[in-house]
Amino acid sequence: MCSATDMAVLAGGNPEVCFSKYGSYPVRGKYCHEMALRILLACIESHAIRHKRYIVPVISVHMDFYIRVFVRIFTSASTVKTSPLKISHVYQCVGCNSFHLQNVGRINSKDKRNVALPNFCPTVPQECCECGHKFVMGGPIWSDPIHDKEWATSILSNVQAMSGAYPAYAKISAVLTSVSQELVNAPLFVSLHSLCATLKCTNPTMAMFHSALRNAGYQISGSHVDPLALKTDAPMSVIWDIMRCWVKLHPVKSRPGADPSNRILSQEPKLQASFSQATGGLVARKSPRFVPNPEKYWGPKAKAGRPLKTPHMDNCEFRFTANTLEAGDRTSISK
C-alpha cells in the first residue's frame, strides 16, 4: 500500500516539483486526479524494475483529499522487459482539451520473442485536428489497468454480507461499487460539462450521451474519481462527432475570434449519432456511488504543529451608549 497526500503537486499545480519527485509531468485537466494515480503507479513501477521486479495493481483510489494504491510485487527478469508497454505519454490539446496516449514501447509483430522496442514518432500532429491548437505533452504515466475488477467485486460481496461490522460501510461500498463498474482499458476520461463548455452548448443528459456511444458500438462507464466522468474506449474524433450531432439538434451562436468551437463545429460529423435509449445503458443504482461529506465545511485542516489563531478581546469592538449604562458603570469606564 502506498499513499500520497501532495495532491497540489500531483494534480498539476507544481509540475516541476512533480517531475523532481515522481519523474513525470502532470497535465491540468478534469482527469487530473486519475492522472495522479497513474503517475504514482508509474513511479512505483520505475523503482521496481531496477530490482528485476514488476507491479500488478489491485485497487487504486482517489478519496477525500489523497490517493492510495494497493499493488502486488512479483519478481521476473523477463516480464520486466515488457514494462515500456505499460507506460505512456499524454498529449493534450490546449484549445479543446482533447487528449491522446502513446505507449513508450511497442512490440514487433515479426519478432516471436515479444521484446519491447522503442515506439515510433508521436501519433498526434503539430496541431489538433479538431480545433487547430497545439498539444502539450505530459507523463509518463501508467496506462495499464489500475484495478483488479474481479478482486473488487469479490471484496464488495464480502463487505455487503458483513455491513454491520464496518462503521464506514457507506463509503467503502460506494468506492468499491464505482471501481467494479469502471472500464479497465480506458485510461483517463472526458467530462461532459467540459465538452459542452468548449462548444458553449446545452448539456445532453448522461443517459443520452451513454446511449449515443453505445449505439455507435463503443463501451462507456463512470469513474470513482468524478461523478461527471465518462470513461470510454471511443477515440476523441467520435466523441466530438457526437457533440456536433447534438449541436445540430440544439444550435448555438457563432463565437468571435479564434474560438476552438468555431473550428470544431465547422467540420461535418463523419458519424451520425443516435441518442435513442440503448440496451445496457444507465440503470437505477441500488447503492450510491458517491456519499456526501460527513459534516459542513469538511476538508483538509491546518498543518500539524501549526498554532491556531484565536480571537482576542483586543480585536473586538465594543460600542456603548449613555442610555444603556448605569451611573456606576459610567464612572468605572471613565476611570
Side-chain angles (χ1 to χ4, degrees), residues 288-308:
R289 296 190 302 124
F290 297 91
V291 295
N293 293 335
E295 60 185 10
K296 193 177 182 180
Y297 306 120
W298 182 75
K301 300 298 187 289
K303 184 179 179 180
R306 182 179 298 174
L308 298 177

Side-chain angles (χ1 to χ4, degrees), residues 205-212 214-215 274-283:
T205 63
M206 295 289 285
M208 295 175 67
F209 199 85
H210 276 241
S211 297
R214 292 183 186 276
N215 290 330
S274 172
F275 295 95
S276 58
Q277 182 65 36
T279 57
L282 287 176
V283 296

Side-chain angles (χ1 to χ4, degrees), residues 48-63:
I49 60 178
R50 300 170 191 173
H51 306 281
K52 299 182 180 180
R53 293 180 171 87
Y54 66 96
I55 68 170
V56 175
V58 178
I59 187 172
S60 310
V61 295
H62 165 263
M63 55 194 305

Side-chain angles (χ1 to χ4, degrees), residues 304-316:
R306 182 179 298 174
L308 298 177
K309 294 183 179 180
T310 57
H312 297 283
M313 297 299 293
D314 298 336
N315 299 329
C316 300

